[in-house]
Amino acid sequence: MDFDGLAADPEDVISDGLDGGYRSRTEALREVLRDPAESPADRFLACAALTRWGDPDGYEAVVRAAGAPERVAWRGASYDRFHGRDDTFGVLADAVGQSVDMVEERGTAAQRTRAAEALLSIVDQVPFGLRVSALLSRDLVVACLETVQATVSRGTTRLEAQPPCCDLGLQLALMIRAAHRIAPDWAEDAAGRLRAARPGGRALRELPTGGEVECGSARSAVMMPGDDGGF
């Protein structure tokens, strides 16, 4: 429902809120988010909208969800139609990344970084696909570098041990590529280990090679908020 009480696409409502309309809708969405009697889909959309608007309650909900991703009531509320699998955390990654344009107005830059770090810590556990790139702007990678490194290490070990439920290799490769701008020696070592784990063709195309800093194929497909430079 839009700000005039008419039926509307949720994405349109979120976009309308970016022009200041969030002020009249925020409290109602906070109530939906907190109410376990509301449908999981509505609670998920409330979380996504609040997060995209740079709201502290939205960011906090993302952190809680990332703390126990398998127990989130709204897990599966959004599906990637192309791959036919859950992409709820990918949608939240987009919301966190894109909310960079709201945090100065809302005073929530620190909460955004915390939410991004929470999501980056579970990239080895849940599907994100290319949407993980929304969390890989330079400012977030610098702030969350240790988490990025730990997640890549765990994910590579997981990939070596068993077939993943999603394109884990691609997700890890994108993280390595982003970190290459900040920690090139670590990134090249991590890339070598990931290659040895046979991560798949899409991942191999994204991995940095010796001395490489510029963008790869996914960079042109997914704009990374807050990042005005290439990988």
Side-chain angles (χ1 to χ4, degrees):
M1 189 168 292
D2 67 14
F3 294 107
D4 296 317
L6 304 174
D9 185 280
E11 292 185 5
D12 293 336
V13 175
I14 292 173
S15 296
D16 289 345
L18 299 176
D19 295 327
Y22 72 84
R23 295 183 182 89
S24 63
R25 194 65 181 266
T26 291
E27 194 53 44
L29 289 183
R30 286 174 175 167
E31 291 177 6
V32 170
L33 179 61
R34 296 168 183 152
D35 188 352
E38 295 283 353
S39 73
D42 285 346
R43 295 179 71 194
F44 170 69
L45 289 174
C47 180
L50 290 169
T51 301
R52 179 61 185 89
W53 297 340
D55 187 85
D57 283 24
Y59 290 138
E60 183 57 33
V62 171
V63 171
R64 289 197 304 270
E70 298 303 327
R71 297 200 297 272
V72 177
W74 39 253
R75 181 80 185 269
S78 177
Y79 267 79
D80 181 320
R81 286 172 290 183
F82 183 77
H83 294 100
R85 63 182 172 225
D86 171 63
D87 73 345
T88 47
F89 282 99
V91 171
L92 294 182
D94 277 345
V96 170
Q98 293 168 5
S99 66
V100 66
D101 61 357
M102 296 292 290
V103 294
E104 183 175 356
E105 176 182 343
R106 306 296 304 274
T108 52
Q111 291 95 322
R112 174 177 177 264
T113 299
R114 184 166 173 255
E117 186 164 25
L119 292 175
L120 287 167
S121 73
I122 60 168
V123 171
D124 61 317
Q125 302 174 46
V126 301
F128 282 87
L130 292 175
R131 291 179 187 261
V132 71
S133 294
L135 303 172
L136 298 177
S137 58
R138 186 181 185 88
D139 64 312
L140 291 179
V141 174
V142 169
C144 306
L145 182 60
E146 290 186 4
T147 296
V148 167
Q149 292 172 329
T151 301
V152 167
S153 179
R154 287 195 312 270
T156 303
T157 298
R158 188 184 300 261
L159 196 60
E160 291 168 339
Q162 60 188 25
C165 61
C166 58
D167 197 344
L168 176 58
L170 175 64
Q171 295 175 184
L172 299 177
L174 291 169
M175 294 177 77
I176 292 170
R177 192 175 186 85
H180 190 275
R181 297 169 292 174
I182 313 303
D185 291 343
W186 172 85
E188 288 172 20
D189 287 345
R193 186 180 168 205
L194 185 59
R195 285 190 188 93
R198 299 181 179 180
R202 296 178 77 197
L204 292 174
R205 287 191 292 273
E206 296 303 330
L207 284 172
T209 56
E212 182 183 356
V213 179
E214 294 307 317
C215 62
S217 59
R219 178 62 177 83
S220 61
V222 181
M223 183 62 70
M224 294 189 297
D227 189 8
D228 56 4
F231 276 28

